[in-house]
Amino acid sequence: MSSTETSRPTVPAGAPRRTGPVGVGLIGAGMISEAYLKNLTTFPDLKVLIVGDLEPQRAATRAAEFGVPGSGTAADVLAHPDVELVVNLTIPAVHAEVSAAAIAAGKHVWSEKPIGIDRDSARGLLADAAAAGLLVGVAPDTVLGPGLQTARRAIERGDIGVPLSAQTVIQYPGPDLFHPNPEFLFAAGAGPLFDIGPYYLTALAHIFGPFATVAAVGSKSRATRTILVGDRAGTEFPVVAPSHVAAIASFAGGGVAQSVFSFDSPLARTGFFEVTGTEGTLVVPDPNTFGGSVRITRPATMATLRDEPAWVDVPVAEETYGRGAGALDLARCIRGGGAPVASGELGYHILDVMVAMEESIVTHRTVEVASAIDPVPLLPDAWDPHAATL
């Protein structure tokens, strides 16, 4: 059990137990909402009832696009009597605030990553949820995809022996290439570590278990950036968070990892994720996706050292779902009990790791990660997001 986890029921004490699909309200109608709604509106165990946003017209447009019957503000979502689960797609700086408001309104919460940008607000959110008997889940839910699930099963079968180390790299010129409002991605509590890091760090936690120590260095290629697309193209904005982070980590159960997270590289290299064990190296699919290929290579000999490695492909099931799968898993826990795979406790641990990396950048010291998590369970073999189970 993690340092933030407490035993809790899955329904508030005294509340009537509902049946059937779980009512969902979505807050935040920005870019990522399209990917979410594309999936949420196709899962039989969910019923998306309303979309809310700071700009109600944007919410109305997105709701109409996906046939969602209601739209309005965040307050409208929280006040909706049939919304049991709030999907929080706001900017990272207000994730904890919006999620806390949902908890206060008696709603379960699925939040985009990260759970918050500081430890105190995230701990408070989980404590309030536990006291209210409500569930919290946190992205990324890409770890529920067939790609990472297949890689984990290969490792747990012993296909590469005992996992010893990992290398991960995500680098490209930065989200200002494509985002019309990229300022929040370079603000405090953002940058590549908080924006893209959760995909890689969460996948590492799935494979190696809880982080124990981290050490990191960070830098910024320039003090300001310029918006390149959209109506505000040409507008300059400040860069606050490090735009390049290099980190090493050790895990409580053994194993080490080294990672690069960068918005400063002219050379784009995304989805690089290798795990080396005592008997081979496994290539993990891009943790920012749900599918991908899984491959294994065995140790080279002197005769083959300079040759291209020989790869063995591990079969991966077809990718038939995407973002929103974690909210579905949480919804099924609301009805059936248990905790979601992409739990709030896991989300807090990853936040703790990222904040510790930030502290290491400032102090030039190795930092111990205070929180811990239980091993993250695999999904059942027959897990099917498109089945009606409620």
Side-chain angles (χ1 to χ4, degrees):
M1 182 173 291
S2 77
S3 60
T4 60
E5 186 176 8
T6 57
S7 176
R8 72 233 189 246
T10 56
V11 226
R17 180 174 292 276
R18 302 194 189 192
T19 59
V22 172
V24 174
L26 188 146
I27 298 178
M31 288 183 66
I32 195 65
S33 67
E34 180 178 6
Y36 267 88
L37 286 167
K38 178 181 177 182
N39 293 292
L40 294 175
T41 54
T42 65
F43 296 149
D45 285 345
L46 301 180
K47 186 175 183 180
V48 184
L49 300 169
I50 185 172
V51 177
D53 193 86
L54 281 171
E55 300 178 17
Q57 183 54 53
R58 181 164 63 175
T61 299
R62 192 63 93 195
E65 182 180 357
F66 289 94
V68 176
S71 66
T73 66
D76 293 324
V77 174
L78 299 182
H80 197 298
D82 295 324
V83 168
E84 301 169 75
L85 170 61
V86 168
V87 174
N88 178 3
L89 305 183
T90 57
I91 63 172
V94 297
H95 278 176
E97 177 185 349
V98 172
S99 294
I103 294 296
K107 316 294 188 184
H108 305 273
V109 175
W110 169 265
S111 174
E112 247 305 316
K113 46 77 186 168
I115 188 173
I117 60 173
D118 66 87
R119 294 185 181 104
D120 287 346
S121 63
R123 271 195 299 254
L125 168 65
L126 292 180
D128 289 347
L134 296 166
L135 294 177
V136 176
V138 180
D141 55 0
T142 48
V143 288
L144 277 66
L148 185 72
Q149 291 287 310
T150 298
R152 281 197 59 195
R153 292 182 195 280
I155 291 171
E156 296 195 13
R157 280 196 307 267
D159 289 5
I160 60 169
V162 178
L164 302 172
S165 63
Q167 298 184 72
T168 76
V169 177
I170 166 65
Q171 61 180 43
Y172 72 112
D176 41 337
L177 279 179
F178 60 83
H179 204 297
N181 300 291
E183 294 99 321
F184 76 95
L185 294 168
F186 294 86
L193 177 59
F194 277 69
D195 179 42
I196 302 296
Y199 297 107
Y200 292 78
L201 298 173
T202 302
L204 287 169
H206 271 246
I207 292 167
F208 288 96
F211 287 76
T213 64
V214 298
V217 293
S219 62
K220 291 187 284 188
S221 62
R222 49 198 187 274
T224 62
R225 295 236 181 180
T226 303
I227 298 175
L228 301 176
V229 299
D231 295 339
R232 301 169 61 233
T235 303
E236 286 194 353
F237 62 91
V239 176
V240 178
S243 49
H244 179 96
V245 174
I248 56 175
S250 70
F251 298 89
V256 296
Q258 58 185 20
S259 299
V260 171
F261 313 102
S262 183
F263 289 165
D264 287 341
S265 175
L267 174 63
R269 182 178 289 119
T270 61
F272 183 89
F273 197 128
E274 293 180 351
V275 178
T276 294
T278 53
E279 299 175 21
T281 293
L282 179 142
V283 174
V284 178
D286 185 343
N288 195 11
T289 66
F290 282 76
S293 62
V294 177
R295 301 187 299 163
I296 295 174
T297 188
R298 301 298 177 192
T301 65
M302 283 301 297
T304 62
L305 192 60
R306 297 182 182 276
D307 297 339
E308 286 293 317
W311 293 102
V312 175
D313 290 320
V314 181
V316 178
E318 182 184 0
E319 178 186 352
T320 62
Y321 54 95
R323 280 166 172 77
L328 170 66
D329 181 44
L330 190 154
R332 288 176 173 175
C333 291
I334 292 171
R335 291 283 186 266
V341 172
S343 66
E345 288 73 29
L346 175 58
Y348 177 83
H349 182 63
I350 299 306
L351 171 66
D352 195 14
V353 170
M354 295 188 296
V355 173
M357 288 179 176
E358 283 194 324
E359 292 169 346
S360 179
I361 291 171
V362 173
T363 64
H364 308 289
R365 295 179 181 274
T366 298
V367 177
E368 292 188 3
V369 178
S371 63
I373 51 167
D374 290 334
V376 182
L378 283 160
L379 288 174
D381 285 330
W383 194 79
D384 181 3
H386 300 295
T389 69
L390 303 181

